[in-house]
Amino acid sequence: GETYNALQLRLASGAAQADRAYVLEFKVAAQPGNPLPSTHRADFRFGQQIQLTGYDLVQTGSQVRVTLRWQALQDVTTDDVAFVHLRDTPSHALAQGDGVPVQGAYPTRLWQKGEIILDTHLLTLPDARPTPPLALYVGMVNSADGQRLPAFDAAGQELPSDEILLAQDLVFP
């Protein structure tokens, strides 16, 4: 097989660093231009930094793929987790897909002003189908303190429970 020589890492002072393994976080610039528009338009804001401008919802068998279209209104300084719930009652999630945006690959602290991020969440439906009428809820939680980011509608009014009701009366066969 092939052999590889490790590159020697030097600190800013010029001193050689002895450790051989590092985890480095970096950001790859996106292609210029905006991603395709979402099927459903939205106009909601989380705190002062993040806006939800649209979403798509597609069922394939027992999976529902919800793609959220976020826009950074300014450089985001926090690590936030998106929650995406299909609820049969306002307080009970029948299916949910929560997580760091872009399946953990693009945390919010890396988002920069003006960026548009397409963030897909997979939700698994229960076996008993068709489902009862479901509502799609979305929110953001600060991972440092577990608090929900304040959610606002297009008029700037804060929403109850700091979550967005994106769609209602969804039935999945």
Side-chain angles (χ1 to χ4, degrees):
E2 296 181 34
T3 60
Y4 298 93
N5 293 326
L7 295 174
Q8 189 173 41
L9 183 66
R10 293 198 176 273
L11 301 175
S13 66
Q17 182 69 10
D19 291 337
R20 297 178 56 94
Y22 292 90
V23 175
L24 301 175
E25 187 175 78
F26 62 93
K27 179 175 174 169
V28 177
Q31 296 269 347
N34 290 332
L36 294 173
S38 300
T39 303
H40 305 282
R41 293 181 55 84
D43 187 4
F44 298 96
R45 184 172 42 84
F46 289 96
Q48 301 300 315
Q49 299 180 325
I50 299 172
Q51 184 174 19
L52 180 66
T53 63
Y55 70 98
D56 289 302
L57 188 143
V58 178
Q59 179 188 3
T60 306
S62 65
Q63 297 277 309
V64 175
R65 186 177 71 240
V66 177
T67 301
L68 304 171
R69 183 183 174 101
W70 303 110
Q71 182 164 12
L73 299 173
Q74 53 187 265
D75 292 356
V76 180
T77 57
T78 55
D79 276 318
D80 304 312
V81 174
F83 67 83
V84 181
H85 295 172
L86 284 170
R87 298 183 188 162
D88 52 354
T89 70
S91 60
H92 179 258
L94 201 64
Q96 66 188 67
D98 304 349
V100 173
V102 194
Q103 295 82 47
Y106 198 30
T108 56
R109 74 176 179 283
L110 299 178
W111 296 6
Q112 294 178 318
K113 182 179 180 174
E115 270 190 286
I116 295 172
I117 298 93
L118 297 179
D119 173 29
T120 300
H121 296 260
L122 285 177
L123 291 72
T124 302
L125 297 168
D127 290 334
R129 287 201 304 276
T131 64
L134 301 176
L136 177 63
Y137 287 85
V138 172
M140 294 284 260
V141 176
N142 181 310
S143 62
D145 62 14
Q147 298 296 308
R148 288 185 178 182
L149 273 62
F152 301 94
D153 66 15
Q157 297 297 311
E158 189 165 358
L159 299 171
S161 303
D162 288 317
E163 62 188 7
I164 297 166
L165 173 57
L166 272 182
Q168 298 182 78
D169 298 321
L170 302 169
V171 176
F172 298 95

